[in-house]
C-alpha cells in the first residue's frame, strides 16, 4: 500500500514517517493507549468537543475553549497535549505554569476565523480609528479564536479576551469601561451578544478590514457603541434560517440549538444558543424523546446523536459542517507525538515569545477573573 505523503508543515520538527500511515486503525488506538499508560501523570490530554471520536476518547479532560483554558492554567502534568486548534493550544501555553510544555499534534491545525485578523491589519485599523475618535475610550475585546499577538494588543489598551460562553459578561465589563467596544474577529458573536444585551442595532457597525476607515464615514464611526471586525467562522456560516424553517415544518416539537458564531438570522430564529459545553449540557439534561436540531460542528453533533439514542439529535444543516482544521488532529499524529515524548523528544511544542506571552496572559486572566 502506498502511504500518503504529508505536506510540509511550518514546524521545524519532523513529521510522522509513512510507517505511521501504514498502521491499521486498531494498531493506532492500541499503541496510543499503551503510550498514554506509559507516560502516566507526566501527561494530560485536553480535547476540544469538535475532535473526532478516535482522538477525543483519549482526552483526560474534554471542554469548550473556556473550560480547557481554565484547566490548562492549573494543570499539574509536565506535558499538556492539546487535541484542538492552534489558538487553544497557544492560550494553554500562555496560561500554564512556566515549566509546563504544550504540544499540538499537528501545527497546521489553525482556525480560519483567527486568520482573518492579522495584527498588522488591527494596528492599521486602530490608527485610522484614532483619527476620528479618542481610542483611549474604546475597549478592545478579542475573542480567544485569535493569535496571541491580538490578545496582547487588547491587554495593552485596557482590553480583554472572551470566549463563546462568557462574551456577554465580558462585553458588559467592557462597556462599563469605555464609550465603545471594538470586538474581533467574529462579527456574529459580537452581534448576537449585543442583541441579547439589548443594544440597538443602529449603534453597531461592521469594520470592513480592507477599506479605508473600515468602509464607514467618519461621523457614523465616531458615534457607534460597538465596532465589529468583519470576521466569521466558515463552519458556522453553513447554517441558515431556511434550515431552521425546514426542521420546524418537519418536526413541530423540535428545538433548535445553535452556537453563537452562527449568523444572527439563525440565532434569532433558534430556541437556544450557547457554547459547545452549553449545547452538550442542554441535550444531556433534556428528557427522553426530546428532539434537537443542532447548529454546530458535525463531529460534536454526531457524538450527541450517538450518546443519546433515546433522543432525536440532528445537524441543523443537511450538509455536514466540518471544521477541517480541528480534523487535522488524527490518531497517527497523536501517536507520533506520544512516541517522540516517550523517547525524550518534545515535538510540535507551542512557543510564544515572552513579551507577547506576558501581555496576552493579562488579557486572558482578566477574562478568567470576570467569569469566576
Ligand atoms: P467553544 O468555546 O464554544 O467550544 O467554541 C470554540 C470554537 O472554535 C467554535 O467554533
Ligand atoms: Fe475556527 Fe470555526 Fe473551526 Fe471554531 S469551528 S476552530 S471558529 S474555523
Amino acid at each position: 500500500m502506498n502511504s500518503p505523503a504529508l505536506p510540509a508543515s511550518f514546524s521545524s520538527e519532523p513529521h510522522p514517517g509513512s510507517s505511521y500511515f501504514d498502521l491499521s486503525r486498531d494498531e493506532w488506538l492500541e499503541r496510543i493507549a499503551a503510550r498514554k499508560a506509559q507516560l502516566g501523570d507526566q501527561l494530560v490530554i485536553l480535547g476540544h468537543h469538535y475532535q473526532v471520536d478516535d482522538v477525543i476518547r483519549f482526552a483526560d479532560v474534554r471542554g469548550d475553549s473556556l473550560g480547557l483554558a481554565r484547566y490548562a492554567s492549573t494543570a499539574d502534568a509536565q506535558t499538556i497535549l492539546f487535541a484542538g486548534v492552534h489558538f487553544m493550544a497557544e492560550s494553554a501555553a500562555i496560561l500554564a505554569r512556566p515549566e509546563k510544555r504544550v504540544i499540538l499534534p499537528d501545527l497546521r491545525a489553525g482556525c480560519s476565523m483567527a486568520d482573518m485578523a492579522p495584527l498588522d491589519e488591527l494596528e492599521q485599523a486602530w490608527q485610522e480609528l484614532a483619527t476620528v475618535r479618542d481610542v483611549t475610550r474604546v475597549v478592545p475585546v478579542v475573542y480567544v479564536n485569535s493569535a496571541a499577538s491580538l490578545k496582547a494588543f487588547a491587554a495593552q489598551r485596557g482590553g480583554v479576551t472572551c470566549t463563546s460562553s462568557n462574551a456577554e459578561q465580558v462585553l458588559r465589563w467592557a462597556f462599563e469601561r469605555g464609550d465603545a467596544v471594538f470586538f474581533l474577529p467574529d462579527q456574529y458573536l459580537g452581534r448576537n451578544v449585543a442583541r441579547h444585551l439589548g443594544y440597538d442595532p443602529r449603534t453597531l457597525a461592521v469594520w470592513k478590514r480592507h477599506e479605508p476607515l473600515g468602509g464607514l464615514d467618519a461621523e457614523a464611526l465616531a458615534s457607534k457603541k460597538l465596532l465589529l471586525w468583519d470576521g466569521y467562522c466558515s463552519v458556522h456560516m453553513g447554517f441558515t434560517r431556511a434550515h431552521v424553517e425546514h426542521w420546524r415544518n418537519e418536526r413541530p416539537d423540535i428545538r433548535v440549538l445553535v452556537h453563537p458564531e452562527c449568523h444572527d438570522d439563525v440565532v434569532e430564529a433558534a430556541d437556544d444558543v450557547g457554547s459547545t459545553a452549553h449545547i452538550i449540557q442542554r441535550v444531556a439534561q433534556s428528557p427522553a424523546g426530546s428532539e434537537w436540531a443542532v447548529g454546530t460542528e458535525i463531529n460534536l453533533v454526531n457524538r450527541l446523536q450517538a450518546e443519546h439514542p433515546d433522543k432525536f439529535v440532528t445537524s441543523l444543516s443537511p450538509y455536514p459542517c466540518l471544521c477541517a482544521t480541528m480534523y487535522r488532529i488524527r490518531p497517527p499524529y497523536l501517536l507520533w507525538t506520544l512516541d517522540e515524548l516517550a523517547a525524550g523528544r518534545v515535538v510540535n511544542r507551542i512557543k510564544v515569545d515572552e513579551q507577547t506571552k506576558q501581555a496576552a496572559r493579562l488579557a486572558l486572566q482578566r477574562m478568567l477573573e470576570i467569569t469566576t
Side-chain angles (χ1 to χ4, degrees):
M1 183 183 105
N2 283 337
S3 303
L6 279 168
S9 146
F10 48 79
S11 162
S12 57
E13 306 292 352
H15 260 298
S18 57
S19 61
Y20 281 87
F21 288 87
D22 286 337
L23 300 175
S24 68
R25 173 176 175 260
D26 286 348
E27 285 169 313
W28 284 329
L29 302 186
E30 275 163 31
R31 284 177 55 174
I32 293 169
R35 279 290 182 225
K36 227 189 136 213
Q38 181 195 352
L39 291 160
D41 8 323
Q42 294 172 49
L43 170 79
V44 65
I45 300 184
L46 307 189
H48 184 265
H49 295 306
Y50 291 163
Q51 291 291 297
V52 295
D53 289 347
D54 280 352
V55 169
I56 201 88
R57 63 195 290 162
F58 295 109
D60 299 294
V61 181
R62 299 180 187 193
D64 64 2
S65 308
L66 181 64
L68 296 176
R70 256 193 219 295
Y71 186 90
S73 69
T74 57
D76 287 327
Q78 190 193 10
T79 305
I80 299 168
L81 189 143
F82 213 110
V85 289
H86 192 272
F87 74 81
M88 295 178 178
E90 201 174 50
S91 293
I94 292 165
L95 286 167
R97 293 199 288 274
E99 70 279 10
K100 310 293 174 197
R101 59 239 182 143
V102 176
I103 290 175
L104 183 64
D106 186 341
L107 289 175
R108 297 165 303 170
C111 164
S112 55
M113 179 203 286
D115 293 343
M116 291 175 196
L119 179 64
D120 59 339
E121 290 185 7
L122 173 58
E123 284 171 339
Q124 171 74 24
W126 201 255
Q127 270 174 27
E128 289 184 29
L129 188 58
T131 63
V132 296
R133 68 188 293 171
D134 176 7
V135 284
T136 64
R137 300 288 306 152
V138 179
V139 182
V141 176
V142 173
Y143 189 28
V144 288
N145 300 35
S146 58
S149 55
L150 263 74
K151 297 176 174 93
F153 177 99
Q156 285 153 353
R157 287 157 187 82
V160 64
T161 58
C162 73
T163 74
S164 63
S165 58
N166 61 19
E168 195 169 313
Q169 278 166 285
V170 171
L171 271 179
R172 273 188 219 278
W173 177 94
F175 280 124
E176 282 164 15
R177 275 156 186 81
D179 301 331
V181 166
F182 200 141
F183 188 91
L184 67 161
D186 186 13
Q187 62 172 296
Y188 294 102
L189 176 63
R191 203 187 278 279
N192 288 323
V193 173
R195 185 201 299 263
H196 198 246
L197 288 174
Y199 280 89
D200 181 337
R202 286 170 300 189
T203 64
L204 276 55
V206 175
W207 181 282
K208 295 189 185 124
R209 272 169 284 164
H210 300 124
E211 293 185 25
L213 273 189
L216 299 160
D217 71 77
E219 205 180 325
L221 197 49
S223 64
K224 296 296 177 192
K225 285 287 294 171
L226 180 60
L227 296 171
L228 302 163
W229 195 256
D230 63 350
Y232 56 87
C233 167
S234 43
V235 177
H236 288 90
M237 286 299 99
F239 303 103
T240 66
R241 201 166 182 132
H243 296 149
V244 178
E245 281 154 19
H246 163 82
W247 281 112
R248 295 218 190 279
N249 289 333
E250 197 80 9
R251 290 180 173 252
D253 292 332
I254 205 159
R255 273 174 292 164
V256 177
L257 174 58
V258 301
H259 195 275
E261 287 173 11
C262 289
H263 195 288
D264 46 313
D265 274 356
V266 175
V267 171
E268 196 183 25
D271 298 293
D272 199 356
V273 55
S275 74
T276 54
H278 176 83
I279 289 171
I280 291 168
Q281 195 188 33
R282 290 291 286 127
V283 174
Q285 291 177 349
S286 64
S290 302
E291 300 177 3
W292 296 98
V294 181
T296 199
E297 208 271 345
I298 193 66
N299 280 295
L300 173 54
V301 180
N302 286 344
R303 192 170 308 122
L304 283 169
Q305 233 165 13
E307 286 175 355
H308 299 283
D310 57 334
K311 300 167 196 175
F312 176 81
V313 184
T314 184
S315 172
L316 179 59
S317 167
Y319 309 108
C321 294
L322 174 89
C323 178
T325 46
M326 283 277 179
Y327 188 57
R328 283 197 181 278
I329 310 297
R330 272 167 266 171
Y333 293 84
L334 197 55
L335 179 57
W336 169 63
T337 47
L338 294 180
D339 279 353
E340 291 291 313
L341 201 56
R345 293 184 292 269
V346 179
V347 293
N348 285 9
R349 182 173 180 176
I350 300 295
K351 293 185 189 130
V352 184
D353 73 81
E354 207 42 49
Q355 214 183 339
T356 307
K357 193 176 192 172
Q358 277 182 27
R361 186 185 295 133
L362 183 61
L364 285 162
Q365 274 170 345
R366 269 186 196 141
M367 169 188 82
L368 296 179
E369 278 158 25
I370 295 167
T371 35
T372 44

